[in-house]
Amino acid sequence: MPAAVCGLLAVLLGLPFAGGTTPGTVDATVAGWIAHLSPGVLRALVLPTEPYVVIALGVLAVVLCLRAGRRTDAAFALGAPLLAILLTSWLLKPLYDRWKNDTLVYPSGHTVSLVAVLTVLVLVTRKAVVAVLAALALLAATAGLVGMGYHYLTDVVGGTLFAVAVVLLTWPVPRRVPAPSTG
């Protein structure tokens, strides 16, 4: 159910901005809040979305699964983020046709790649501290992406919702193995 809600919200959030190039009211307000940050700080905040960081986190998720003997989870840890990235680049961005600085921006591909991998890490580790660190990384990346002018806030939120939806929809549901009958 959460996956379907996230997917639906991602689809609906982008509709008012489809084919557009201007920020919404919330987009402009948040950009104004972040505008005072220095370029150096903004570059540091965008760091979690860099491919070498996202790839390293993805490899970590796969390795954790393999070390735990969870081969199926390892395959999904690799495949779910790739699926989310491909769907974003090849389907959603052209479909929504939202532009900023001569680039398609809805949903944010930077965000989709980061959030898909972070969601996998949360599912793999099942640790609250990983969820908190993932949320902090997303907040930092959001400020950086908006502050550097790469995306509007709605692009980042849409990317977050879509990435979570894809990962949750594709992730195998753990099944309880019934205890052998004693009688």
Side-chain angles (χ1 to χ4, degrees):
M1 183 67 152
V5 170
C6 286
L8 179 62
L9 289 174
V11 167
L12 294 176
L13 178 63
L15 290 178
F17 305 104
T21 59
T22 58
T25 304
V26 173
D27 294 326
T29 300
V30 171
W33 292 343
I34 298 169
H36 71 280
L37 297 175
S38 73
V41 168
L42 293 171
R43 278 192 297 277
L45 293 174
V46 171
L47 185 66
T49 69
E50 292 294 340
Y52 57 87
V53 174
V54 173
I55 290 169
L57 292 172
V59 168
L60 174 63
V62 171
V63 168
L64 289 172
C65 289
L66 292 175
R67 286 191 60 201
R70 296 164 35 202
R71 290 185 186 158
T72 302
D73 285 354
F76 281 97
L78 181 62
L82 287 175
L83 178 62
I85 292 164
L86 292 175
L87 287 172
T88 298
S89 298
W90 293 350
L91 178 67
L92 294 181
K93 282 183 179 270
L95 185 66
Y96 281 98
D97 194 37
R98 185 181 196 189
W99 292 84
K100 183 172 186 179
N101 304 327
D102 297 323
T103 304
L104 288 170
V105 292
Y106 187 90
S108 164
H110 291 92
T111 306
V112 168
S113 60
L114 175 65
V115 171
V117 169
L118 291 176
T119 303
V120 165
L121 275 171
V122 169
L123 291 171
V124 166
T125 63
R126 301 181 187 125
K127 302 276 186 202
V129 68
V130 175
V132 169
L133 291 173
L136 291 173
L138 176 58
L139 286 172
T142 299
L145 291 168
V146 171
M148 292 291 291
Y150 298 156
H151 285 284
Y152 299 116
L153 177 66
T154 47
D155 305 331
V156 175
V157 173
T160 298
L161 292 166
F162 184 70
V164 169
V166 170
V167 172
L168 292 180
L169 283 170
T170 59
W171 199 260
V173 177
R175 291 177 175 49
R176 293 180 61 185
V177 177
S181 174
T182 58

